[in-house]
Amino acid sequence: MEKHIFLFGIIGQDVHEAAILKDIAQAKEQKAEVLVVQISSPGGYVYSGRAIYNALKTSGIPVRVEIIGQAFSIASYIAMAGDEILIAEKAEMMIHQAWGKVEGTASEMRKSADQLEEMSKEIYSTYVARGADSNIIKSFFDTEKVLNAQEAIDAGL
């Protein structure tokens, strides 16, 4: 039995991690044979994306990701949780360093910058762990690259 999970919209806003985590838990209870995660998302909140990624990776169920529209930003990170990743011919991925908005004192802003750098390292290492060429991914990552389906495949994503 396949369990379908849909990540459509902004992660953490339109797509709430609690609902996705509940779907993954139900799939485990139902002894699903495969989790099919369809993605068409502009991205969203890193912490929500991390929770979804971790839940998929630790589910104990094979995960097939199907990018059917866009997997931008944290949605592309979530896609890396797939044991198998498929991308539609007219779909796209976008990868970039973590970014955020900060208010506060100079020291608070420095602290936030350090946190963003750590998040970026984690995200980058996840792309490279898929077997992608680290130099190519680094250049895409640093320039906020939108990849068409063939470019994503060629990059090892």
Side-chain angles (χ1 to χ4, degrees):
M1 166 189 72
E2 293 182 345
K3 171 70 174 176
H4 289 259
I5 295 174
F6 304 99
L7 299 179
F8 300 160
I10 298 170
I11 306 297
Q13 183 176 329
D14 301 326
V15 178
H16 297 287
E17 71 268 23
I20 300 302
L21 299 177
K22 183 178 176 184
D23 286 345
I24 295 168
Q26 286 175 342
K28 290 165 89 171
E29 289 172 7
Q30 297 166 353
K31 303 202 183 313
E33 295 171 7
V34 177
L35 283 170
V36 178
V37 181
Q38 290 192 329
I39 300 175
S40 185
S41 171
Y45 297 94
V46 170
Y47 294 110
S48 297
R50 268 184 177 161
I52 294 168
Y53 172 90
N54 288 330
L56 291 168
K57 289 297 280 184
T58 61
S59 69
I61 303 169
V63 176
R64 182 175 73 233
V65 170
E66 299 175 354
I67 301 167
I68 63 171
Q70 59 183 348
F72 286 4
S73 194
I74 200 64
S76 67
Y77 174 83
I78 293 169
M80 298 300 106
D83 297 298
E84 178 182 20
I85 302 171
L86 306 173
I87 184 168
E89 182 180 353
K90 302 298 183 193
E92 296 176 314
M93 291 182 79
M94 187 259 289
I95 63 175
H96 64 85
Q97 293 185 34
W99 61 271
K101 297 178 182 179
V102 179
E103 290 182 345
T105 66
S107 77
E108 290 168 329
M109 290 184 184
R110 282 186 202 91
K111 181 180 175 183
S112 292
D114 290 344
Q115 290 171 333
L116 285 171
E117 285 180 349
E118 287 304 311
M119 283 181 199
S120 291
K121 286 177 188 176
E122 173 193 328
I123 293 166
Y124 168 80
S125 69
T126 301
Y127 296 130
V128 172
R130 294 281 320 168
D133 180 277
S134 62
N135 293 324
I136 292 171
I137 296 303
K138 180 79 170 126
S139 70
F140 292 166
F141 193 68
D142 289 345
T143 60
E144 191 173 282
K145 174 76 172 163
V146 175
L147 304 140
N148 66 35
Q150 192 58 55
E151 289 171 324
I153 292 166
D154 293 345
L157 298 171

